[in-house]
Amino acid sequence: MPNKTAVKVAVENTAYHFDRAYSYLLPESLEQKAQKGCRVMVPFGAGNKLRQGVIIEKEMVDSTEKLKSVSKLIDEKPLLSDEMLQLVLWLKERTFCTVFEAFKAVLPVGVTNKTVVTYTSNADADVESMTADEKTIYEFLQKSNGYKEGAKILAKYGFKNDADILSRMAKKGYLVTNTDAVRRLGDKTIRMVRLTPAGLDALGGEMKISQKQGEILSLLKDVETASVKEICYFTGFTPAVVSALERKGLVEYYDNEISRNPYENIESPEAPVNINLTDEQQKAYDDIMTLYNEGKGGVSLLYGVTGSGKTSVYLKLIDDVLSKGKNVIAMVPEISLTPQTLNLFHKRYGKKIAVFHSALSVGQRADEWKRVKNGEASIVIGTRSAVFAPFQNIGLIIIDEEQEHTYKSEQTPRYNAKDVARFRCAANKAVLVLASATPSVESFAAAKSGRYKLSTLTKRYADAGLPQVKIVDMLTEADDDNNGISKPLAKALYDNLQNHKQSILLMNRRGFNTYASCKSCGNVVTCPSCSISMTYHHANGRLMCHYCGYSIPFTKKCPSCQSTDMRYSGIGTQRVEEQLQNLLPDARVLRMDADTTMSRFAHEEKLTAFANGEYDIMLGTQMVAKGLDFENVTLVGVISADSQLFNDDFRSQERTFDLITQVVGRSGRGKYKGTALIQTINPENEVIRLAAEQDYDSFFKEEIDIRKMLIYPPFCDICLIGFSGEDETMVRTAADVFFEYAKPLLKNNSIIAMGPMAARVVKISNKYRYRLILKCKNNKDFRKALSDLMIKFGKNSKFSSVSVYVDINPQALV
């Protein structure tokens, strides 16, 4: 009879080809405390080094001869429920990650632990035989209380991360080591820097400093304080220069004082305003509630034109679901949409709301997660990660702007939040509401076929009309001096300003100029680490790579032929902002792009200022195109409607239609009539014409026919297998060998293969990228066969330097 308790543990830092749940004997002292979903420390591998793991299940075993024992229990209570543990295993199977990678994905960073080696001094050590460096470290640890983290000791005394001095001291018996798991609570993005009195003296010539250090000190003297990220952006230097100044005592770090709960001061909710639905809204609400009341769960697509009042339907649904004792997750695709959504929800639901998004600090995210887990919140609002909210009793999940690519993770595990939401709704017999004015082709096809319930809103709320749309042909209207803003758009902006109304402009490229080339030799300035052209940023006077962050100062000299005949071409948001200042000097312009929204809550602060009338024109990238609702906005301008129309991706036309339709829909949403101008060099293009007419149904009919003819989703699934590494020949060879391994799978399953081939951007951060694309049916048999291939390939030691990943239905074939 079984008489010993063991646990199956998913261990961290395992490669895919040997990732599984390993069995460990559970000491008697932990038999009652250790539960599924708890983290443990276990010995792993031939060296029995301690690693962190999570208990997947408990079991009784007869023989314990070959079993190692659990060394330590990290959590007193399980971090994950049974549902979330099942979700972890589902993520592994669907995204081809390891179990522990999936486990970390469902938790906020502030809750997860990192495994560290710590050191303390050995009282019996022979101090006389130590080197000077060893003696310094030993004496520091002697004076310290307890164990200190190895990485911090190395940093304190200027050693590199991979220095072996600590391990050598441990082998000599000078130090005692320990392996432990510690909380990840640091957050570098809010690490602030300010001058010390010594730093001011150094600026006055009291100390010898480098040119780079002097520039940073001068910047801090002007602005008083700045984040490390901001300093690096405006100077082009790395954080190491700031660290050097800190070691000299010329600057000091401090954590920006941000409340652990940024919404703790919200007032009690107002008396709920009764929601009066139109006939269309009422029918949509009734249809979704009928699905909910059936108690089986399901998916509903709420398809409504921009400004049709989808939010009113959401609120009515949420009221009813909460009244039945269920919990709700509401998701938005962009941080920029969170402030307006939060303001609306806080007024109605108060502190019942928890918030999940990346603008919160690590500690704040951890605290919000705990509030949900402890039952202190019943509604979660947030971006992609909100789908992992630790609710036990979900009744409704709403995904607004469901077509957005941001719901798909581009890092391991490469999950789609819509797929995770479907899993959680099935587990809870809950309803998933997908909503958009421009649904993804896949979702609309599912609704048309009856797999999803379809509810349609064809009219704008409160009889507001759709904006009048004009297409501007930039081949005839372009001006060499003002090639961003046409004369018709300039006039419309001027008139709107005179009428005290607000405008939104979409320019889906940031920076000032998008590339720099030499007229003499034709050389284009590219990033040395990426196969991409550099973008000129006027704000910091530098050419920057938008992939890896590399930057160089603005230059008129060609780095190739040394001539001074450089030409800066292409336009971005910074260039358009300058043109607006020249054309409309009295206009107050708010620029919203990745450069102006780096700080925490920048989106909230800027959008609130715009809503309060502090700006006349909001110019931005796609973050200004979706979901925003400002009654005083009566003009929308699309600077370049063609920017992604002809990308070599089967979704390029869908994305163009979506972006134009959505941004045009920001105009005239209240009592004032709206207008939109679309600038294009392809005025006859059918996609642009249909977007101008806000005619999604006609666009869908044309697009679905093309997808069927070329066999693209929803008529198949796309599986992208990516290969990357520093040696291009090795990466290319790895892709070829994998393809050879896969040939039997392709032949037996009628799978269409494209490649192997170089990625569109073949090099990023000094790593070469190749890809193999499979048109397939993503079913259990296919995933099992592909998993076997990944395991077989992973065992080929020849390609140990090449990283391989699988991405099912990626949002871009890059």
Side-chain angles (χ1 to χ4, degrees), residues 142-156:
Q142 262 196 325
K143 295 175 183 176
S144 302
N145 184 22
Y147 285 83
K148 296 297 179 184
E149 188 177 333
K152 292 182 178 178
I153 298 171
L154 293 175
K156 178 178 178 65

Side-chain angles (χ1 to χ4, degrees), residues 77-94:
K77 295 180 180 179
L79 283 180
L80 300 183
S81 64
D82 284 347
E83 177 206 336
M84 297 303 283
L85 272 176
Q86 289 303 311
L87 175 58
V88 164
L89 298 177
W90 181 90
L91 280 171
K92 172 183 168 55
E93 191 238 337
R94 294 298 182 111

Side-chain angles (χ1 to χ4, degrees), residues 92-136:
K92 172 183 168 55
E93 191 238 337
R94 294 298 182 111
T95 68
F96 300 88
C97 66
T98 67
V99 178
F100 203 82
E101 285 171 338
F103 170 73
K104 289 197 297 184
V106 305
L107 297 170
V109 174
V111 173
T112 59
N113 287 12
K114 62 179 178 178
T115 303
V116 298
V117 179
T118 56
Y119 297 85
T120 191
S121 60
N122 182 356
D124 298 327
D126 180 7
V127 179
E128 297 302 321
S129 63
M130 295 181 188
T131 66
D133 285 339
E134 290 172 344
K135 188 176 291 187
T136 299

